[in-house]
Amino acid sequence: MARARRNKSYKLAGIYDRRSRDVLFNAEVAEVEVDNPLAVDPGEKIVAIRSVRSDPLGRLHAHHQIDEAQYRGGRAFQSDWERAERGPQAMDPTREYVDGARTREPITESQRQAVLRLNRVERELGTDGAALVHDVLVLGLTMDQIGQRRAVRTQRWNDYFARRFRECLDRLALIYGFVTTTGAPRAGQRK
């Protein structure tokens, strides 16, 4: 009985592909390049999958509807908002109990700087632009939901809100320094 020959054509390309192939049926994901945390040389990138289900800014970036500078400007706004927000805080069981009264923690310098930047953003964008950016980047609303909140439900208004939001993202990229006044990206960044 003759022995079967082995096929010598190995597929080596798929060996290091560690992306998960099983996602939930209602998942909204996009591939994104990130820095390799296990890299030997700095600057190495890997492809990762991120969820864009409740991330309007990430969804716009994944579908190439906004550029890198707009995306980074939006993320900088979100970071400042989170840093400046002093919302409800949970009880800290490690702190000493004194008649249930909690002393407020002092405002840090990074919180103060974030509030100053947010004030500048509101001045630059105006009341309507700042409200639109807040609705999308903080509350996570879609253009249709924004139209419903403002009692305008036509496609024309949705298009207007989308166009205005992109203008606000351009302004955020300029305020946070991801582009120059001529629109050219800063050194080391691509547009």
Side-chain angles (χ1 to χ4, degrees), residues 44-57:
E44 285 186 28
K45 302 280 186 184
I46 60 171
V47 176
I49 294 179
R50 75 167 171 210
S51 174
V52 294
R53 183 174 185 186
S54 60
D55 183 15
L57 191 64

Side-chain angles (χ1 to χ4, degrees), residues 151-163:
V152 288
R153 294 185 171 95
T154 61
Q155 184 62 39
R156 188 172 188 160
W157 276 104
N158 289 349
D159 293 343
Y160 166 74
F161 290 137
R163 207 171 36 252

Side-chain angles (χ1 to χ4, degrees), residues 122-143:
E122 189 169 359
R123 277 194 316 271
E124 296 269 341
L125 296 180
T127 306
D128 189 47
L132 180 63
V133 166
H134 179 270
D135 286 347
V136 175
L137 297 181
V138 176
L139 300 179
L141 300 179
T142 63
M143 298 305 155

Side-chain angles (χ1 to χ4, degrees), residues 6 15 47 63 131 156 186 188:
R6 282 189 176 172
I15 291 176
V47 176
H63 292 294
R156 188 172 188 160
R186 293 183 112 189

Side-chain angles (χ1 to χ4, degrees), residues 25-105:
F25 71 94
N26 61 350
E28 296 179 27
V29 295
E31 291 184 352
V32 62
E33 275 191 10
V34 295
D35 291 330
N36 186 357
L38 304 174
V40 176
D41 299 325
E44 285 186 28
K45 302 280 186 184
I46 60 171
V47 176
I49 294 179
R50 75 167 171 210
S51 174
V52 294
R53 183 174 185 186
S54 60
D55 183 15
L57 191 64
R59 183 181 299 117
L60 291 171
H61 187 250
H63 292 294
H64 304 291
Q65 294 174 349
I66 60 174
D67 62 9
E68 187 71 21
Q70 291 171 322
Y71 175 75
R72 288 184 182 206
R75 285 291 188 230
F77 176 84
Q78 287 175 329
S79 174
D80 278 348
W81 183 267
E82 290 171 1
R83 189 173 292 123
E85 184 180 41
R86 295 190 57 105
Q89 298 174 352
M91 291 288 293
D92 187 4
T94 61
R95 294 185 73 188
E96 184 177 332
Y97 177 78
V98 181
D99 295 333
R102 290 182 28 188
T103 58
R104 287 191 57 94
E105 295 177 11

